């Protein structure tokens, strides 16, 4: 039965991606080993335009790195805010406990006052009944223990409140530090994106079209080189049930714009897409590509299956969801939409599996 289900899944995957794969293959994004691909004719300024393309790509990649730093700082800031709220609740509970303990101590003091202020031991010594004396001795021991326990509980609660205050102070300091990191990373992202957009805005319409073609050519060349290694012959593992759900989610987002820091539903950045895809499959994973690389189990490229995440570039600044047949779904960069692309169209750093 499992074999039949795997065949059905592979069939559905192929059917789901068929149209998109065909379009991408025509434009040369997915490519294939040995496939004919007419080299574009040289045009005036082609070399300088290629340099512009590389510069724009590098600016956007640096923006991606800064976006990862921003997302991590934001995620940590949210966690610290939640801790501060939890600490505040613990402080309130501790203060309520102190009030209750003080009330108990006050009740004991009032009881002693009503007895004329004479200590319980003295009252017991003046007792004229042997049985009353023995019963009183037992109650006296119980009372002494209760008093000791009450004082110990008050000391523990006071100590806990002091620790809560210390923890809250530390969390506030971390929160403020992360807010500074967020602001710095945000500025860097905005500066890099602005520089790339300004660079591209100086191009004429024909040059912009040529720039897009150069981008596709570079992706095709990288994908064709990757496929020529025969990697697809080894990639025959079927998706897990969770992986299948993650792929279905990602496929439904194709066409939505890249917006840095976005986690949907209208727009995504690269790790926003992959983290939300896996969340839809019931698995919470780290928010950023660098944390996904650091914390998720790694798998060999030859063992990759649909649903796995591919981490790109040496600084792990980009991530995509592998969907099978040598393809990925990812949110590329500002100015681009969530799309299907070749898994080898960028330098692969590692593969991680959220449900390993």
């Amino acid at each position: 039965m499992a074999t039949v289900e795997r065949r059905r899944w592979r069939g559905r995957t192929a059917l789901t991606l068929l149209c998109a794969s065909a379009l991408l293959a025509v434009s040369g994004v997915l490519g294939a080993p040995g496939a004919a691909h007419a080299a574009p004719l040289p045009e005036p300024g082609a070399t300088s335009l290629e340099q512009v393309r590389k510069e724009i790509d590098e600016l956007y990649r640096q923006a991606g790195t800064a976006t990862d730093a921003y997302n991590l700082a934001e995620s940590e800031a949210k966690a610290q805010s939640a801790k501060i709220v939890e600490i505040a609740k613990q402080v309130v509970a501790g203060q309520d406990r102190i009030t209750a303990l003080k009330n108990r101590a006050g009740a004991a003091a009032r009881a002693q006052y009503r007895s004329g202020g004479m200590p319980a031991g003295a009252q017991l010594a003046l007792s004229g009944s042997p049985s009353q004396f023995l019963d009183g001795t037992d109650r006296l021991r119980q009372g002494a223990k209760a008093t000791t326990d009450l004082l110990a509980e008050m000391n523990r609660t006071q100590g806990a409140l002091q620790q809560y205050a210390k923890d809250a102070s530390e969390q506030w300091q971390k929160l403020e530090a992360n807010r500074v990191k967020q602001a710095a990373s945000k500025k860097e992202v905005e500066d890099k994106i602005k520089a790339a957009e300004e660079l591209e805005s100086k191009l004429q319409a024909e040059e912009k079209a040529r720039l897009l073609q150069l981008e596709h050519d570079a992706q095709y060349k990288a994908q064709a080189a990757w496929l020529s290694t025969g990697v697809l012959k080894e990639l025959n593992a079927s998706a897990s049930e969770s992986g299948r759900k993650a792929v279905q989610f990602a496929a439904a987002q194709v066409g939505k714009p890249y917006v840095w820091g976005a986690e949907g539903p209208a727009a995504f950045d690269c790790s926003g897409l992959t983290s939300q895809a896996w969340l839809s499959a019931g698995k919470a994973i780290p928010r950023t590509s660098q944390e996904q690389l650091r914390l998720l189990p790694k798998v060999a490229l030859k063992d990759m299956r649909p649903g796995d995440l591919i981490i790109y570039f040496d600084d792990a600044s980009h991530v995509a969801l592998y969907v099978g047949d040598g393809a990925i779904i990812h949110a590329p960069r500002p100015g681009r939409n969530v799309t299907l692309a070749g898994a080898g169209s960028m330098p692969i750093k590692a593969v991680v599996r959220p449900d390993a």
Side-chain angles (χ1 to χ4, degrees):
M1 187 66 181
T3 301
V4 171
E5 179 58 30
R6 284 197 297 270
R7 287 174 179 167
R8 286 176 180 169
W9 157 243
R10 293 177 71 180
R12 285 197 298 269
T13 300
L15 183 60
T16 302
L17 302 176
L18 180 60
C19 293
S21 297
L23 289 172
L24 288 166
V26 168
S27 65
V29 174
L30 290 181
H37 182 67
L41 295 175
E43 294 181 10
T47 301
S48 60
L49 196 57
E50 172 63 13
Q51 292 172 346
V52 170
R53 181 195 70 79
K54 289 181 178 179
E55 187 174 348
I56 289 174
D57 282 353
E58 179 60 21
L59 285 168
Y60 279 125
R61 198 179 69 76
Q62 291 173 5
T65 303
T67 297
D68 225 35
Y70 173 87
N71 288 337
L72 180 59
E74 183 180 43
S75 178
E76 290 177 345
K78 287 179 181 178
Q80 284 144 9
S81 294
K83 286 181 181 178
I84 290 170
V85 170
E86 184 59 33
I87 289 171
K89 291 178 180 178
Q90 292 172 332
V91 168
V92 170
Q95 289 172 336
D96 289 344
R97 180 63 178 159
I98 287 290
T99 300
L101 292 171
K102 286 181 177 179
N103 288 339
R104 283 172 53 190
R110 287 192 296 274
Q112 184 173 344
Y113 176 79
R114 286 193 298 270
S115 68
M118 184 178 292
Q123 294 180 41
L124 183 60
L126 296 174
S127 172
S129 170
S131 60
Q132 184 179 357
F133 180 83
L134 293 175
D135 290 343
T137 300
D138 185 58
R139 288 196 299 273
L140 186 60
R141 283 196 299 267
Q142 293 176 2
K145 183 179 184 304
T147 300
T148 301
D149 291 347
L150 177 63
L151 292 173
E153 178 67 15
M154 288 184 71
N155 287 335
R156 283 195 298 270
T157 305
Q158 290 283 12
L161 286 173
Q162 291 175 357
Q163 185 60 48
Y164 294 153
K166 180 181 177 182
D167 291 344
S169 176
E170 290 175 353
Q171 292 302 324
W172 273 113
Q173 290 174 7
K174 290 180 181 178
L175 183 61
E176 289 306 309
N178 273 302
R179 283 175 176 163
V180 172
K181 284 166 57 179
Q182 274 182 277
S185 296
K186 180 179 181 180
K187 185 176 187 307
E188 184 176 357
V189 172
E190 291 172 340
D191 288 348
K192 297 297 183 183
I193 291 176
K194 182 179 179 181
E197 289 175 343
E198 287 180 351
L199 195 58
E200 195 166 358
S201 69
K202 296 176 182 177
L203 301 175
Q204 300 296 323
E206 292 182 0
E207 290 177 315
K208 289 181 180 179
R210 172 67 177 163
L211 187 69
L212 184 60
Q213 183 60 51
L214 288 174
E215 182 180 311
H216 288 167
D217 289 345
Q219 292 174 1
Y220 169 84
K221 184 178 180 180
Q223 174 73 355
W226 184 67
L227 292 176
S228 68
T229 64
V231 64
L232 284 188
K233 294 177 182 178
E234 297 180 319
L235 298 180
N236 53 16
S238 299
S240 64
E241 178 64 19
S242 296
R244 181 181 64 81
K245 291 179 180 179
V247 169
Q248 286 180 335
F249 177 92
Q253 313 313 312
V254 170
K256 293 182 179 180
Y258 177 107
V259 173
W260 71 270
E263 298 178 83
F268 297 88
D269 64 18
C270 66
S271 56
L273 176 64
T274 54
S275 59
Q276 289 301 304
W278 271 98
L279 187 60
S280 75
K283 177 73 174 180
I285 65 173
R287 170 64 177 89
T288 70
S289 57
Q290 293 174 350
E291 289 295 281
Q292 289 168 4
L293 172 65
R294 187 173 72 88
L295 298 174
L296 297 178
K298 297 177 180 61
V299 297
L301 184 63
K302 65 181 180 63
D303 297 323
M304 186 166 61
R305 69 189 186 195
D308 288 346
L309 305 183
I310 304 181
I311 310 295
Y312 291 98
F313 303 109
D314 287 340
D315 60 357
S317 58
H318 193 69
V319 61
L321 192 79
Y322 182 65
V323 297
D325 300 326
I328 56 171
I329 291 177
H330 72 143
R333 65 168 177 81
R336 299 288 184 265
N337 297 331
V338 176
T339 188
L340 191 74
S345 58
M346 296 170 285
I348 296 174
K349 181 176 180 65
V351 179
V352 296
R353 179 167 295 164
D355 61 342

